[in-house]
Amino acid sequence: MPLNIYIISHPIISTLSSQIIYQKNDKTHRSIYNEMNFLLIYELLRKWITVKKIYIKNVDYIKEISIFNPKESYTLFANLEKCCNIIDHLKTLIPKLSIVHTDIYQDENYNTRIYYNSKKEKKLTNSRIIIIEKILNNNSIINFINELINKYNIKITSIKIICIACNNKVLELINKKYSNLEIYTTKIINI
C-alpha cells in the first residue's frame, strides 16, 4: 500500500511554505511558520475529529448541540520553542489535547534522534498522535515512530505527521516501513 501523503496546495499555503523553506529566519518567519502549522492541523483534523450531535427536544423546538467524542484524546509532539504561539489556540479548539515538547539532536554516534519528555506515557496509549516537524529531512522520524509503536503500543493509524516540506528519500524510507502512515505537507523536495 502506498504512503498516504496529502499535499495541501491552496495558493496561500503554497506561498507561505515557499517563504518558510527558502528564506532566512526572522520574526515574520516564525509567525508564518505558526500560521502554516495551524492551517495544516486544520486540514488534518477535518477528517480525524469526530463530532457527536445531541438533540434536545423542547416543547416548541428541537435544539441541536455538537460535541467532540469524549473517548478521543490527542497528543501533539512539537518543538514548543518554534510553534509556541499556536499552542493556546489549539488547546481551546481540540478537546483533551496533551502537548509534548520534542527536540531533534545527534547522539555520540552522530545518529539523529528526537528527544521528548516521556513522563506522559500513560496518556499516549489511547491517544491520537500528531507530530509537527518543519522539514522531514532525516530518518529520525522513523526512529521516533518505532519508539511510539513498540514502547507505547500505539497503532500506526493513530499517528499523523504535519510538516512544511518532506525530502523524497525520507518518504521512501517511511513508505518501506510504515506504508499506512499519513503525512500532511505542502511540498516534496530534494535536499
Side-chain angles (χ1 to χ4, degrees):
M1 177 180 264
L3 189 62
N4 297 314
I5 302 172
Y6 299 97
I7 299 176
I8 312 303
S9 60
H10 189 281
I12 294 173
I13 291 176
S14 296
T15 305
L16 293 176
S17 69
S18 292
Q19 289 178 15
I20 290 173
I21 295 169
Y22 302 115
Q23 291 183 357
K24 294 181 181 179
N25 273 343
D26 61 0
K27 193 173 186 177
T28 58
H29 180 85
R30 181 173 278 199
S31 174
I32 292 169
Y33 179 63
N34 286 326
E35 291 298 323
M36 286 293 302
N37 283 332
F38 186 75
L39 292 171
L40 290 170
I41 287 172
Y42 168 78
E43 286 295 323
L44 177 143
L45 292 175
R46 277 189 330 135
K47 297 177 185 175
W48 214 13
I49 283 186
T50 54
V51 176
K52 303 272 184 182
K53 294 189 187 262
I54 298 175
Y55 298 96
I56 301 171
K57 185 175 181 180
N58 288 332
V59 176
D60 297 337
Y61 62 94
I62 296 176
K63 185 176 183 180
E64 178 183 329
I65 300 173
S66 297
I67 61 168
F68 292 109
N69 186 344
K71 295 179 183 177
E72 292 178 354
S73 64
Y74 297 85
T75 303
L76 178 75
F77 286 91
N79 187 326
L80 299 181
E81 295 168 358
K82 294 179 181 173
C83 58
C84 61
N85 294 341
I86 64 167
I87 299 302
D88 288 335
H89 194 54
L90 288 175
K91 281 192 155 199
T92 59
L93 294 177
I94 303 172
K96 295 184 184 177
L97 177 67
S98 298
I99 298 169
V100 179
H101 174 68
T102 59
D103 196 15
I104 296 176
Y105 73 98
Q106 285 188 337
D107 64 14
E108 60 276 354
N109 298 326
Y110 297 101
N111 295 322
T112 306
R113 302 242 330 127
I114 296 179
Y115 166 79
Y116 65 99
N117 182 358
S118 60
K119 291 180 181 177
K120 299 190 178 209
E121 64 187 62
K122 291 180 183 175
K123 293 183 179 182
L124 291 179
T125 53
N126 294 321
S127 185
R128 293 180 170 193
I129 308 295
I130 302 168
I131 301 170
I132 297 178
E133 280 295 319
K134 186 174 183 179
I135 297 176
L136 283 182
N137 58 1
N138 60 47
N139 62 354
S140 64
I141 196 72
I142 296 171
N143 298 335
F144 184 52
I145 293 169
N146 285 340
E147 192 169 334
L148 290 174
I149 291 172
N150 297 329
K151 189 173 180 181
Y152 302 109
N153 297 322
I154 295 172
K155 297 176 185 167
I156 194 66
T157 55
S158 296
I159 301 172
K160 296 189 190 291
I161 298 175
I162 293 172
C163 59
I164 305 300
C166 306
N167 182 323
N168 61 348
K169 292 178 183 173
V170 173
L171 291 177
E172 289 173 14
L173 292 172
I174 292 171
N175 188 36
K176 287 179 184 174
K177 186 128 186 177
Y178 300 113
S179 61
N180 293 339
L181 184 66
E182 291 185 13
I183 298 175
Y184 290 76
T185 188
T186 63
K187 292 184 187 222
I188 297 176
I189 57 176
N190 296 323
I191 294 182

